[in-house]
Amino acid sequence: MSKNTSPTTLVMKFGGTSVGSRNAIEQVIKNVRKTRQEWERVVVVTSAVAGVTNLLVESAERAIVGDEVFISQAEKELLAKHFEMAEKLIHSIAQQAQLKQEIKYLSKEFSSICRAISILGEATPRALDAVVSLGERFSVRLLAGALQSAGLPAQYVEATNIVVTDDDFQSALPNLEKTAKNVQNTLMRMLMQRQIPVLTGFIGATEEGITTTLGRGGGDYSAAIIGATLPADEVWIWTDVSGVMTADPRLVPEARSIPELNYREMAELSYFGAKVLHPKAVRPVVEAKIPIRICNTFKPEEKGTRVINENDKAGKKADARQIVKAVTAIPRQRLITVEGRGMLGVPGVAARTFGAVASTGTSVQLITQASSEQSISFSVPDEASESVIASLYEAFSEELSQRDIDRVWASEEVAIITTVGRGLQDTPGVAGTIFSALGAANVNIYAIAQGSSKVSISFIVSAEDAEKAVHTLHHFVAAS
Ligand code: ADP
Ligand code: ASP
Ligand code: MG
């Protein structure tokens, strides 16, 4: 990355696999050391060790039903996993003992919260956050310790003291103004002393100091928040693939990494299922005009993906080459339809429909409306469909009894398939070509929607057709 003004500031975020083993952390150390020779100020944000957050979530669920055997095994596993890595990565005996003490302390905290959950027989969102936040609290100590042991001036920082959020536990929203003050007071001060702050991703705290989390995969969001509030010159997301790829490499082995994307394309890609970057991570950096780079911890020599402003020269050049840049899939959805002749021209039906959906805490990913059939359809996650249908029945009980609304129903399981690329907005005929290709592949399309930012087109297809649809559409990427 080129840089012309100083001092330059970089946020580096490492995901779960990047801190998932001794070898991975050794690679992180190399990457931080090298980067620090090029950037004057470096802030590290870390995820929990791979698999740990899932284990914590499952533990909280098992605690609700009083599964004490599971909890005590999970506690042992947490201890063993972090101890083993500490022993391999921390060379000084005193430092290792200190770290082990802290790991022990956190695992005791884990078992006491789980015990409290099991006595109550329920876990509030606040209690869940207290449990799942432990993953990053373990890993931040381990990573900072390992960096120190390798001679780097790292210091761990709990994001509960930095990232101020609302009290929407499990999916908290940051208050950027208040966070910025803490960032200046704490992180900036550390950076000025040439330290490397190592921060827990994924977590924050309310103004009262109660721990919150930003939602699964939220470590990227933390990096963006810190990047925007410093502000940093760039944010680099280090993960286990070489950037954003033309499709999920687990689904399409021939997928290749995309050198450049603009912010709108990145936003659509992550919103429609490219797990490599959390959808909420895009906005803070766009607003602060900070470029993001997504790179591979294990292949740092590969360039990965750069996400930039579309007006940048390089971005424009890349856009001109490709119409469809990537294909994504979101499985396990259902299409909910509200239909009835009496809906035609009645104001407020859509507002009431989505009000009823929102009251269940479900967010809608895609909406289509067919006025000729007087229906509104939208997709929700499979597990939410029952409660959404119940809430719609309640909201429209009168219209249903008067037959103004004929039916409220959920489809079989479906998937949302999305093609993303800036060229989609101004290349005539491209949508038709895409439909024809899906038709030729015998993929039945249930609904279509164009992203509001115009750089994406989404299709609803049956669960069985999802993989075929992704492969068919990936040919367009490959051909460009
Ligand atoms: P981390 O733990 O580093 O945050 P994640 O598992 O959250 O990593 O995200 C990286 C994973 O996202 C990749 O291993 C890949 O399987 C998946 N993925 C899904 N879609 C894409 C895509 N279009 N490009 C790259 N990776 C993708
Ligand atoms: N550890 C959290 C999760 O697994 C956050 C993250 O990895 O980004 O969801
Ligand atoms: Mg992630």
Side-chain angles (χ1 to χ4, degrees):
M1 289 300 112
S2 67
K3 53 194 174 83
N4 2 356
T5 49
S6 65
T8 51
T9 309
L10 178 68
V11 174
M12 304 172 85
K13 178 258 169 179
F14 293 94
T17 355
S18 303
V19 293
S21 65
R22 171 210 187 151
N23 287 350
I25 292 192
E26 280 171 349
Q27 194 58 55
V28 169
I29 295 169
K30 271 193 211 156
N31 295 345
V32 172
R33 195 193 303 283
K34 178 163 185 298
T35 310
R36 201 160 178 269
Q37 285 158 7
E38 295 155 15
W39 293 75
E40 283 153 77
R41 297 171 173 178
V42 172
V43 176
V44 171
V45 176
T46 186
S47 283
V49 168
V52 166
T53 312
N54 285 348
L55 179 63
L56 294 168
V57 170
E58 192 178 353
S59 301
E61 282 163 2
R62 297 291 192 106
I64 298 172
V65 294
D67 190 344
E68 294 196 6
V69 177
F70 188 93
I71 304 306
S72 73
Q73 267 166 4
E75 186 188 352
K76 280 194 199 120
E77 196 179 326
L78 289 169
L79 264 180
K81 207 180 256 256
H82 293 99
F83 266 25
E84 194 195 326
M85 284 162 80
E87 280 158 14
K88 288 177 176 153
L89 289 158
I90 315 290
H91 310 305
S92 131
I93 298 294
Q95 201 200 341
Q96 201 186 98
Q98 164 74 24
L99 175 60
K100 281 184 164 177
Q101 194 63 32
E102 292 188 35
I103 292 171
K104 254 193 210 154
Y105 177 82
L106 290 175
S107 57
K108 287 275 160 281
E109 200 172 318
F110 164 78
S111 54
S112 15
I113 310 170
C114 286
R115 205 158 299 125
I117 291 174
S118 107
I119 290 167
L120 292 171
E122 67 163 350
T124 58
R126 174 176 165 172
L128 285 175
D129 275 355
V131 177
V132 296
S133 59
L134 285 164
E136 273 71 6
R137 297 179 61 205
F138 280 116
S139 67
V140 81
R141 288 163 169 80
L142 181 67
L143 181 59
L147 288 163
Q148 278 166 18
S149 198
L152 289 157
Q155 191 61 52
Y156 81 79
V157 180
E158 299 249 13
T160 40
N161 298 320
I162 308 283
V163 179
V164 182
T165 72
D166 64 10
D167 63 358
D168 187 9
F169 296 100
Q170 299 265 278
S171 184
L173 266 187
N175 177 323
L176 291 187
E177 234 169 80
K178 292 189 171 134
T179 302
K181 272 195 196 135
N182 294 336
V183 164
Q184 293 309 317
N185 291 341
T186 309
L187 299 190
M188 211 31 130
R189 195 175 39 78
M190 291 171 75
L191 289 172
M192 274 158 32
Q193 291 166 359
R194 302 279 300 144
Q195 287 183 325
I196 304 175
V198 184
L199 211 78
T200 48
F202 181 49
I203 66 185
T206 63
E207 278 189 78
E208 293 74 34
I210 302 157
T211 302
T212 55
T213 65
L214 309 177
R216 290 304 306 268
D220 302 331
Y221 193 17
S222 304
I225 294 164
I226 299 302
T229 49
L230 272 164
D233 295 284
E234 292 197 22
V235 172
W236 292 3
I237 305 290
W238 293 83
T239 182
D240 55 3
V241 286
S242 297
V244 182
M245 307 187 75
T246 49
D248 184 343
R250 288 168 301 187
L251 220 60
V252 182
E254 64 273 23
R256 46 174 206 265
S257 57
I258 305 169
E260 232 152 45
L261 286 168
N262 68 44
Y263 288 127
R264 280 195 298 156
E265 291 169 326
M266 188 66 244
E268 295 289 291
L269 271 170
S270 53
Y271 180 77
F272 283 111
K275 190 188 168 210
V276 66
L277 187 74
H278 194 280
K280 288 186 186 164
V282 182
R283 193 160 160 204
V285 289
V286 175
E287 285 177 357
K289 295 196 171 59
I290 299 168
I292 318 174
R293 192 182 145 199
I294 296 156
C295 33
N296 191 336
T297 299
F298 308 96
K299 293 179 183 164
E301 68 290 352
E302 292 191 1
K303 285 214 166 71
T305 301
R306 238 173 104 71
V307 186
I308 49 168
N309 198 317
E310 66 188 277
N311 296 324
D312 285 9
K313 249 199 222 138
K316 276 193 174 151
K317 217 170 89 198
D319 280 342
R321 281 201 305 270
Q322 256 184 338
I323 296 171
V324 179
K325 285 193 180 169
V327 185
T328 60
I330 308 182
R332 292 180 294 281
Q333 301 282 305
R334 278 180 202 267
L335 200 59
I336 309 281
T337 302
V338 179
E339 64 180 328
R341 271 151 297 160
M343 279 168 62
L344 190 66
V346 179
V349 174
R352 282 170 60 206
T353 301
F354 294 113
V357 179
S359 73
T360 66
T362 306
S363 66
V364 169
Q365 197 96 20
L366 177 148
I367 305 167
T368 61
Q369 184 166 22
S371 60
S372 59
E373 289 174 14
Q374 299 126 47
S375 67
I376 302 175
S377 299
F378 52 90
S379 69
V380 298
D382 179 26
E383 66 275 10
S385 67
E386 231 172 85
S387 62
V388 167
I389 293 277
S391 172
L392 287 167
Y393 266 105
E394 203 184 313
F396 290 117
S397 59
E398 213 166 290
E399 286 83 353
L400 281 159
S401 68
Q402 289 167 4
R403 310 279 304 163
D404 283 339
I405 287 178
D406 296 323
R407 266 206 318 162
V408 173
W409 56 284
S411 69
E412 294 291 296
E413 197 181 304
V414 295
I416 306 174
I417 310 294
T418 303
T419 50
V420 177
R422 191 183 162 202
L424 285 169
Q425 75 182 351
D426 42 31
T427 311
V430 62
T433 317
I434 290 174
F435 298 147
S436 309
L438 288 174
N442 261 333
V443 174
N444 201 5
I445 303 169
Y446 295 171
I448 303 160
Q450 179 161 33
S452 56
S453 71
K454 296 192 188 148
V455 297
S456 72
I457 301 177
S458 297
F459 313 90
I460 299 278
V461 304
S462 70
E464 304 87 72
D465 279 349
E467 250 189 83
K468 193 162 46 161
V470 170
H471 283 278
T472 304
L473 296 176
H474 195 257
H475 289 310
F476 285 93
V477 182
S480 325

